[in-house]
Amino acid sequence: QVQLVESGGGLVQPGGSLRLSCTASGSIFSINAMGWYRQAPGKERELVAAFASGGTTIFADSVKGRSTISRDNAKNTVSLQMNNLGPEDTAVYYCNAAVMTTGRSTALYWGQGTQVTVSS
C-alpha cells in the first residue's frame, strides 16, 4: 500500500508565492512519474506540473514561467513552487504518483488534496 501526503496549502495574497510538498511512503519499489494536479470548483482536474516517466518535466501553459517542480528521489518527495499567484490558481491541489510497489504491481496513487486559496 502506498500513501501520498501533501503539505503547504493555505491562503495566499494575489502576487504571492506558495510551495507545495508531497511525500510518498509505503511499499514502494520505484516511482515512475510524480507531480501535481489541481481542481477548481466546477472544473475538471487538470495537470499543473509533473515529472514524467524518464524524468522530463511537464507544465500546464497557465503556470509556465512562474512555477518550478523539484524532486528528491531518495525521499520520494516532489515539491511545487508557484509564484505570482492569482485568483485563477485557487483550487484543491493533488499529488499524483505512478508507483511500482515492492510486489511489482503498478498503479496510480493520489494524495488527499490540499486547498490553495488566492485572495486578498
Side-chain angles (χ1 to χ4, degrees), residues 60-112:
D61 288 342
S62 59
V63 305
K64 276 182 184 176
R66 60 187 184 94
S67 299
T68 57
I69 189 169
S70 58
R71 183 174 175 178
D72 185 334
N73 292 328
K75 296 181 179 180
N76 291 330
T77 296
V78 65
S79 297
L80 176 68
Q81 175 75 34
M82 294 182 64
N83 303 316
N84 193 24
L85 290 165
E88 67 277 9
D89 296 310
T90 295
V92 178
Y93 285 69
Y94 296 92
C95 180
N96 169 271
V99 177
M100 178 177 285
T101 67
T102 52
R104 299 302 189 268
S105 64
T106 302
L108 289 177
Y109 293 88
W110 292 91
Q112 78 284 358

